[in-house]
Amino acid sequence: MSKKTLDRQASPTVTDLMHAYGDRFPALAAIAASATGARRDNGWEFGLQRILDGLEILIAKRRSPC
């Protein structure tokens, strides 16, 4: 079974579990709700943003007088 197939099968199960037991696990329910609609592989974009943030800070430090 491919990972994509497994993800499609697991998603409804997790959703059903959160609807049934979300009140017992409010933090987990909040995380699951906030992840709705997010791309599953956003690590590359997140990493790129952190690199660009670091470069912005480095450039600003080099421009400012010591």
Side-chain angles (χ1 to χ4, degrees):
M1 181 179 299
S2 74
K3 183 180 184 306
K4 191 177 266 187
T5 302
L6 184 60
D7 284 348
R8 286 184 187 151
Q9 289 176 346
S11 293
T13 303
V14 172
T15 302
D16 293 344
L17 287 170
M18 285 296 99
H19 285 300
Y21 302 105
D23 58 331
R24 290 179 58 195
F25 306 100
L28 183 59
I31 291 169
S34 70
T36 305
R39 292 181 309 147
R40 290 188 184 265
D41 184 21
N42 61 358
W44 185 88
E45 185 176 340
F46 177 83
L48 177 61
Q49 289 301 319
R50 299 303 65 81
I51 291 170
L52 294 174
D53 289 345
L55 288 173
E56 181 180 23
I57 291 168
L58 178 65
I59 291 168
K61 283 183 179 180
R62 288 186 178 180
R63 284 186 178 167
S64 66
C66 295

